[in-house]
């Protein structure tokens, strides 16, 4: 508790029980509001399917706005600093950053950069460093990905400055998927190519337009052929289903047409 | 209103004269050059067959006609030995499965081997898919696309039946009130709990009539605009909606809108619906053959429950005309059609 004399010396600085209660209520309301906004927009996004990215994009912006307003309210309730106090506080804050909060500050700067430069957005499939997955949350301090194995990976936002980021979707629902097949050198490459192509273009998950073509490339190796199918999945959430569907139907078709797998193990080059 | 009432002349009056003329011109050019093949591309229920009727009527002695009737068939029907061959329901020339393009390939070879003008009619969504995944587009360089009817054209079409016996146009609550916003309560799931949330829907078709002065005309315009929107501009759907919405000689926007329910179906069911939309009519067995690992019976049942399809006694699944717009909107959102 600060005495009355102390309060006068600090200008507007005055923390009483009422102020503490107001701060707590402000923070709780901000938390509840941010959570409700998050859940409602997530629910709305789920209903919009391919257009969900436009809604998901709003979530981090609104959350930053809500917490920013709450922070402003807390500062107003407690300090309401003058210009001199702000300058002194900045000096102390800078020193504190230098000693203890550098990483946190870098994370927050990274978070702000991500929000404004948008190297990725909610719902995108990205690779940061050794992690790959769908962006499910963009916070001020960290970004969360769900990997294909359903692991939730939290990546500090300072990775934005230090790691390369590969974005497979860039805000679109569709995403390019590459699927490889290996067949024995004795197999008919034309038939194998046609079967892979038809497995791709008839998949329930494929999205094919003039700007999103489906292709199959054939490469020759000493003891086998490699067929690489490239096509867009209609919704990046269906990436693994697309791979599984195409692979299963292509393999069945290979069996039906007598196209054999390579007998020697395939070695990645 | 019988389907036969959708005559060529009525469709011309409704605003499709340009397309009929373009088709006739294309056939004439094709006969002169002996090279061109023609594709007529339209939404389901958009009277593609009437365009083929038009050519049959214009060139009666030079035209033969076949219809593709079964998507699962491996063989083509015999083509008549005429200068012009009309082929309806060409979306049934393929099946969305490995090996499902063989019949289409045979058809293309048949076209290439004959000095005949083929006038083919295609479902718009099957056409978009096929031109993306095959070289079909290069065989038909100038397809004739049948546009969706606008509200004024729907009005022309429907009024042509009722010169003296127009139904009474009114709001459902007899207040003649024109609404610009509908507020419904929908359920949104938050943390596993269903929370009722207000859903505000803007009805732009109400805004335009508000600027007019004659109240009777206002409601009439709203009805036609609503029918045009919900029918996706397809004449047969517009007629169907119109007939369903007349009750005791009265029609109201609310009556028309009763068929417009939102869809809540899962991914597998949506794919089955895509098959029905692109084929327009497809056998249950064909759906089962395409959806090997899923359970199409459940999907078909779900679609029936949602009044999206009907199933004939022989198991043929057909798209329900009045749900055409809901179906298209839902499948486009999922990027299952484009």
């Amino acid at each position: 508790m600060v005495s009355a004399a102390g309060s006068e010396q600090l200008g507007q600085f005055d923390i009483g029980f009422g102020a503490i209660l107001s701060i707590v209520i402000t923070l709780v309301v901000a938390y509840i509001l941010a959570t409700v906004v998050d859940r409602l927009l997530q629910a709305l996004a789920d209903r919009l399917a391919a257009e969900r990215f436009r809604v998901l994009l709003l979530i981090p912006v609104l959350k930053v706005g809500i917490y920013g307003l709450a922070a402003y309210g807390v500062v107003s309730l407690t300090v309401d600093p003058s210009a001199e106090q702000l300058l002194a506080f900045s000096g102390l804050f800078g020193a504190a950053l230098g000693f203890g909060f550098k990483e946190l500050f870098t994370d927050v700067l990274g978070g702000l950069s991500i929000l404004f430069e948008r190297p990725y957005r909610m719902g995108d499939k990205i690779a940061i460093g050794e992690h790959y997955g769908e962006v499910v949350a963009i916070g001020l301090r960290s970004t969360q990905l769900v990997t294909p194995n359903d692991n939730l990976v939290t990546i500090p936002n300072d990775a934005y400055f230090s790691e390369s980021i590969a974005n497979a979707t860039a805000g679109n629902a569709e995403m390019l998927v590459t699927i490889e097949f290996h067949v024995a050198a004795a197999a008919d490459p034309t038939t194998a190519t046609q079967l892979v192509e038809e497995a791709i273009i008839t998949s329930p998950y494929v999205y094919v337009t003039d700007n999103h073509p489906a292709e199959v490339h054939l490469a020759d190796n000493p003891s086998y052929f490699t067929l690489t199918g490239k096509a867009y999945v209609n919704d990046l959430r269906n990436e693994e289903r697309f791979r599984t569907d195409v692979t299963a139907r292509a393999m069945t078709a290979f069996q039906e047409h007598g196209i054999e797998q390579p007998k020697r193990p395939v070695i990645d080059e | 209103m019988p389907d036969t009432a959708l005559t060529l002349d009525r469709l011309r009056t409704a605003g499709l004269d340009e397309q009929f003329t373009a088709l006739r011109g294309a056939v004439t050019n094709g006969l002169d050059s002996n090279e061109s093949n023609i594709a007529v591309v339209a939404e389901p229920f958009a009277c593609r067959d009437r365009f083929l009727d038009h050519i049959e009527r214009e060139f009666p002695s030079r035209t033969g006609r076949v219809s593709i009737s079964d998507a699962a068939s491996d063989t083509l029907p015999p083509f008549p030995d005429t200068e012009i061959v009309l082929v309806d329901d060409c979306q049934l020339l393929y099946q969305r499965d490995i090996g499902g393009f063989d019949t289409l390939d045979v058809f293309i070879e048949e076209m290439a081997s004959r000095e005949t003008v083929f006038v083919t009619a295609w479902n718009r969504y099957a056409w978009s898919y096929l031109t993306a995944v095959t070289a079909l587009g290069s065989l038909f360089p100038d397809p004739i696309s049948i546009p969706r009817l606008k509200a004024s054209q729907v009005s022309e079409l429907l009024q042509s039946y009722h010169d003296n016996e127009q139904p009474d146009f009114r709001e459902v609550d007899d207040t003649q009130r024109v609404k610009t916003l509908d507020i419904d309560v929908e359920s949104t799931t938050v943390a596993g709990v269903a929370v009722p949330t207000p859903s505000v829907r803007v009805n732009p078709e109400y805004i335009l009539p508000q600027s007019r002065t004659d109240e009777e005309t206002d409601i009439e315009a709203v009805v036609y605009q609503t029918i045009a929107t919900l029918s996706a501009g397809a004449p047969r759907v517009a007629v169907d909606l119109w007939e369903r919405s007349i009750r005791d000689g009265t029609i109201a926007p609310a009556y028309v809108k009763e068929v417009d329910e939102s869809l809540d179906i899962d991914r597998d069911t949506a794919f089955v619906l895509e098959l029905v939309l692109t084929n327009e009519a497809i056998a249950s067995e064909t759906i089962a053959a395409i959806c090997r690992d899923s359970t199409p019976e459940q999907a078909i049942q779900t679609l029936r429950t949602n009044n999206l399809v009907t199933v004939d006694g022989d198991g043929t699944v057909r798209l329900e005309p009045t749900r055409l717009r809901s179906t298209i909107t839902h499948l486009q959102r999922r990027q299952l059609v484009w």
Side-chain angles (χ1 to χ4, degrees), chain A residues 75-95:
Chain A
V75 171
S76 300
L77 285 167
T78 55
V79 182
D80 196 13
S82 63
E84 292 80 8
Q85 288 167 343
L86 193 62
L87 191 63
F89 177 74
S90 301
L92 284 172
F93 185 64

PDB file of all heavy atoms in Angstrom, chain A residues 75-95:
ATOM      1  N   VAL A  75      -2.737  -0.138 -17.075  1.00  0.00           N
ATOM      2  CA  VAL A  75      -1.772   0.963 -16.890  1.00  0.00           C
ATOM      3  C   VAL A  75      -2.502   2.225 -16.450  1.00  0.00           C
ATOM      4  O   VAL A  75      -2.080   2.946 -15.542  1.00  0.00           O
ATOM      5  CB  VAL A  75      -0.977   1.200 -18.197  1.00  0.00           C
ATOM      6  CG1 VAL A  75      -0.145   2.475 -18.097  1.00  0.00           C
ATOM      7  CG2 VAL A  75      -0.084   0.012 -18.483  1.00  0.00           C
ATOM      8  N   SER A  76      -3.646   2.485 -17.055  1.00  0.00           N
ATOM      9  CA  SER A  76      -4.410   3.675 -16.690  1.00  0.00           C
ATOM     10  C   SER A  76      -4.887   3.611 -15.254  1.00  0.00           C
ATOM     11  O   SER A  76      -4.921   4.610 -14.540  1.00  0.00           O
ATOM     12  CB  SER A  76      -5.623   3.819 -17.614  1.00  0.00           C
ATOM     13  OG  SER A  76      -5.200   3.946 -18.930  1.00  0.00           O
ATOM     14  N   LEU A  77      -5.274   2.405 -14.814  1.00  0.00           N
ATOM     15  CA  LEU A  77      -5.781   2.240 -13.449  1.00  0.00           C
ATOM     16  C   LEU A  77      -4.676   2.390 -12.411  1.00  0.00           C
ATOM     17  O   LEU A  77      -4.944   2.706 -11.251  1.00  0.00           O
ATOM     18  CB  LEU A  77      -6.416   0.852 -13.290  1.00  0.00           C
ATOM     19  CG  LEU A  77      -7.779   0.673 -13.947  1.00  0.00           C
ATOM     20  CD1 LEU A  77      -8.141  -0.804 -13.999  1.00  0.00           C
ATOM     21  CD2 LEU A  77      -8.841   1.449 -13.179  1.00  0.00           C
ATOM     22  N   THR A  78      -3.443   2.132 -12.795  1.00  0.00           N
ATOM     23  CA  THR A  78      -2.366   2.111 -11.812  1.00  0.00           C
ATOM     24  C   THR A  78      -1.391   3.274 -11.965  1.00  0.00           C
ATOM     25  O   THR A  78      -1.255   4.102 -11.064  1.00  0.00           O
ATOM     26  CB  THR A  78      -1.574   0.798 -11.918  1.00  0.00           C
ATOM     27  OG1 THR A  78      -1.127   0.635 -13.263  1.00  0.00           O
ATOM     28  CG2 THR A  78      -2.443  -0.371 -11.516  1.00  0.00           C
ATOM     29  N   VAL A  79      -0.759   3.381 -13.096  1.00  0.00           N
ATOM     30  CA  VAL A  79       0.362   4.320 -13.229  1.00  0.00           C
ATOM     31  C   VAL A  79      -0.051   5.661 -13.819  1.00  0.00           C
ATOM     32  O   VAL A  79       0.184   6.706 -13.241  1.00  0.00           O
ATOM     33  CB  VAL A  79       1.468   3.689 -14.099  1.00  0.00           C
ATOM     34  CG1 VAL A  79       2.658   4.640 -14.187  1.00  0.00           C
ATOM     35  CG2 VAL A  79       1.892   2.363 -13.502  1.00  0.00           C
ATOM     36  N   ASP A  80      -0.727   5.610 -14.967  1.00  0.00           N
ATOM     37  CA  ASP A  80      -1.034   6.820 -15.740  1.00  0.00           C
ATOM     38  C   ASP A  80       0.202   7.703 -15.813  1.00  0.00           C
ATOM     39  O   ASP A  80       0.216   8.817 -15.297  1.00  0.00           O
ATOM     40  CB  ASP A  80      -2.199   7.568 -15.083  1.00  0.00           C
ATOM     41  CG  ASP A  80      -2.785   8.590 -16.059  1.00  0.00           C
ATOM     42  OD1 ASP A  80      -2.451   8.520 -17.270  1.00  0.00           O
ATOM     43  OD2 ASP A  80      -3.542   9.453 -15.619  1.00  0.00           O
ATOM     44  N   PRO A  81       1.269   7.240 -16.444  1.00  0.00           N
ATOM     45  CA  PRO A  81       2.574   7.888 -16.317  1.00  0.00           C
ATOM     46  C   PRO A  81       2.664   9.247 -16.999  1.00  0.00           C
ATOM     47  O   PRO A  81       2.039   9.470 -18.028  1.00  0.00           O
ATOM     48  CB  PRO A  81       3.517   6.899 -16.985  1.00  0.00           C
ATOM     49  CG  PRO A  81       2.665   6.182 -17.965  1.00  0.00           C
ATOM     50  CD  PRO A  81       1.308   6.105 -17.374  1.00  0.00           C
ATOM     51  N   SER A  82       3.491  10.112 -16.390  1.00  0.00           N
ATOM     52  CA  SER A  82       3.824  11.371 -17.053  1.00  0.00           C
ATOM     53  C   SER A  82       4.954  11.088 -18.046  1.00  0.00           C
ATOM     54  O   SER A  82       5.495   9.979 -18.089  1.00  0.00           O
ATOM     55  CB  SER A  82       4.292  12.382 -16.014  1.00  0.00           C
ATOM     56  OG  SER A  82       5.471  11.919 -15.413  1.00  0.00           O
ATOM     57  N   ALA A  83       5.359  12.137 -18.791  1.00  0.00           N
ATOM     58  CA  ALA A  83       6.407  11.938 -19.794  1.00  0.00           C
ATOM     59  C   ALA A  83       7.727  11.534 -19.144  1.00  0.00           C
ATOM     60  O   ALA A  83       8.441  10.651 -19.635  1.00  0.00           O
ATOM     61  CB  ALA A  83       6.586  13.223 -20.601  1.00  0.00           C
ATOM     62  N   GLU A  84       8.048  12.157 -17.985  1.00  0.00           N
ATOM     63  CA  GLU A  84       9.303  11.836 -17.293  1.00  0.00           C
ATOM     64  C   GLU A  84       9.285  10.391 -16.798  1.00  0.00           C
ATOM     65  O   GLU A  84      10.262   9.653 -16.926  1.00  0.00           O
ATOM     66  CB  GLU A  84       9.534  12.780 -16.112  1.00  0.00           C
ATOM     67  CG  GLU A  84       9.814  14.226 -16.479  1.00  0.00           C
ATOM     68  CD  GLU A  84       8.528  14.995 -16.813  1.00  0.00           C
ATOM     69  OE1 GLU A  84       7.408  14.433 -16.600  1.00  0.00           O
ATOM     70  OE2 GLU A  84       8.635  16.124 -17.305  1.00  0.00           O
ATOM     71  N   GLN A  85       8.137  10.013 -16.218  1.00  0.00           N
ATOM     72  CA  GLN A  85       8.034   8.635 -15.708  1.00  0.00           C
ATOM     73  C   GLN A  85       8.130   7.624 -16.848  1.00  0.00           C
ATOM     74  O   GLN A  85       8.732   6.565 -16.712  1.00  0.00           O
ATOM     75  CB  GLN A  85       6.709   8.465 -14.960  1.00  0.00           C
ATOM     76  CG  GLN A  85       6.708   9.197 -13.624  1.00  0.00           C
ATOM     77  CD  GLN A  85       5.309   9.300 -13.044  1.00  0.00           C
ATOM     78  OE1 GLN A  85       4.323   9.124 -13.742  1.00  0.00           O
ATOM     79  NE2 GLN A  85       5.244   9.589 -11.743  1.00  0.00           N
ATOM     80  N   LEU A  86       7.539   7.990 -17.969  1.00  0.00           N
ATOM     81  CA  LEU A  86       7.572   7.078 -19.126  1.00  0.00           C
ATOM     82  C   LEU A  86       9.013   6.890 -19.598  1.00  0.00           C
ATOM     83  O   LEU A  86       9.440   5.775 -19.903  1.00  0.00           O
ATOM     84  CB  LEU A  86       6.713   7.648 -20.255  1.00  0.00           C
ATOM     85  CG  LEU A  86       6.391   6.696 -21.410  1.00  0.00           C
ATOM     86  CD1 LEU A  86       5.591   5.503 -20.921  1.00  0.00           C
ATOM     87  CD2 LEU A  86       5.626   7.422 -22.505  1.00  0.00           C
ATOM     88  N   LEU A  87       9.780   8.020 -19.591  1.00  0.00           N
ATOM     89  CA  LEU A  87      11.178   7.960 -20.017  1.00  0.00           C
ATOM     90  C   LEU A  87      11.989   7.092 -19.055  1.00  0.00           C
ATOM     91  O   LEU A  87      12.763   6.215 -19.479  1.00  0.00           O
ATOM     92  CB  LEU A  87      11.761   9.387 -20.062  1.00  0.00           C
ATOM     93  CG  LEU A  87      13.118   9.538 -20.740  1.00  0.00           C
ATOM     94  CD1 LEU A  87      13.035   9.152 -22.212  1.00  0.00           C
ATOM     95  CD2 LEU A  87      13.631  10.971 -20.595  1.00  0.00           C
ATOM     96  N   ALA A  88      11.757   7.316 -17.752  1.00  0.00           N
ATOM     97  CA  ALA A  88      12.482   6.528 -16.751  1.00  0.00           C
ATOM     98  C   ALA A  88      12.119   5.050 -16.874  1.00  0.00           C
ATOM     99  O   ALA A  88      12.972   4.163 -16.821  1.00  0.00           O
ATOM    100  CB  ALA A  88      12.147   7.042 -15.355  1.00  0.00           C
ATOM    101  N   PHE A  89      10.832   4.812 -17.084  1.00  0.00           N
ATOM    102  CA  PHE A  89      10.368   3.424 -17.201  1.00  0.00           C
ATOM    103  C   PHE A  89      10.985   2.754 -18.431  1.00  0.00           C
ATOM    104  O   PHE A  89      11.379   1.588 -18.387  1.00  0.00           O
ATOM    105  CB  PHE A  89       8.836   3.406 -17.307  1.00  0.00           C
ATOM    106  CG  PHE A  89       8.270   2.033 -17.491  1.00  0.00           C
ATOM    107  CD1 PHE A  89       8.234   1.135 -16.429  1.00  0.00           C
ATOM    108  CD2 PHE A  89       7.789   1.622 -18.725  1.00  0.00           C
ATOM    109  CE1 PHE A  89       7.714  -0.131 -16.607  1.00  0.00           C
ATOM    110  CE2 PHE A  89       7.282   0.352 -18.901  1.00  0.00           C
ATOM    111  CZ  PHE A  89       7.239  -0.528 -17.839  1.00  0.00           C
ATOM    112  N   SER A  90      11.091   3.533 -19.513  1.00  0.00           N
ATOM    113  CA  SER A  90      11.674   2.976 -20.737  1.00  0.00           C
ATOM    114  C   SER A  90      13.119   2.563 -20.497  1.00  0.00           C
ATOM    115  O   SER A  90      13.556   1.503 -20.971  1.00  0.00           O
ATOM    116  CB  SER A  90      11.635   4.017 -21.868  1.00  0.00           C
ATOM    117  OG  SER A  90      10.319   4.398 -22.103  1.00  0.00           O
ATOM    118  N   GLY A  91      13.854   3.402 -19.760  1.00  0.00           N
ATOM    119  CA  GLY A  91      15.243   3.070 -19.457  1.00  0.00           C
ATOM    120  C   GLY A  91      15.336   1.791 -18.654  1.00  0.00           C
ATOM    121  O   GLY A  91      16.118   0.879 -18.978  1.00  0.00           O
ATOM    122  N   LEU A  92      14.507   1.709 -17.620  1.00  0.00           N
ATOM    123  CA  LEU A  92      14.505   0.501 -16.792  1.00  0.00           C
ATOM    124  C   LEU A  92      14.080  -0.720 -17.605  1.00  0.00           C
ATOM    125  O   LEU A  92      14.638  -1.798 -17.492  1.00  0.00           O
ATOM    126  CB  LEU A  92      13.541   0.679 -15.611  1.00  0.00           C
ATOM    127  CG  LEU A  92      14.050   1.568 -14.473  1.00  0.00           C
ATOM    128  CD1 LEU A  92      12.922   1.808 -13.479  1.00  0.00           C
ATOM    129  CD2 LEU A  92      15.225   0.878 -13.778  1.00  0.00           C
ATOM    130  N   PHE A  93      13.047  -0.486 -18.453  1.00  0.00           N
ATOM    131  CA  PHE A  93      12.532  -1.589 -19.266  1.00  0.00           C
ATOM    132  C   PHE A  93      13.600  -2.100 -20.218  1.00  0.00           C
ATOM    133  O   PHE A  93      13.795  -3.307 -20.388  1.00  0.00           O
ATOM    134  CB  PHE A  93      11.310  -1.087 -20.050  1.00  0.00           C
ATOM    135  CG  PHE A  93      10.617  -2.158 -20.832  1.00  0.00           C
ATOM    136  CD1 PHE A  93      10.011  -3.227 -20.190  1.00  0.00           C
ATOM    137  CD2 PHE A  93      10.561  -2.102 -22.221  1.00  0.00           C
ATOM    138  CE1 PHE A  93       9.366  -4.216 -20.908  1.00  0.00           C
ATOM    139  CE2 PHE A  93       9.928  -3.090 -22.942  1.00  0.00           C
ATOM    140  CZ  PHE A  93       9.322  -4.143 -22.277  1.00  0.00           C
ATOM    141  N   GLY A  94      14.354  -1.157 -20.799  1.00  0.00           N
ATOM    142  CA  GLY A  94      15.435  -1.535 -21.707  1.00  0.00           C
ATOM    143  C   GLY A  94      16.504  -2.338 -21.001  1.00  0.00           C
ATOM    144  O   GLY A  94      16.978  -3.365 -21.514  1.00  0.00           O
ATOM    145  N   ALA A  95      16.848  -1.875 -19.789  1.00  0.00           N
ATOM    146  CA  ALA A  95      17.866  -2.597 -19.031  1.00  0.00           C
ATOM    147  C   ALA A  95      17.372  -3.999 -18.668  1.00  0.00           C
ATOM    148  O   ALA A  95      18.100  -4.993 -18.767  1.00  0.00           O
ATOM    149  CB  ALA A  95      18.215  -1.818 -17.765  1.00  0.00           C
TER     150      ALA A  95
END
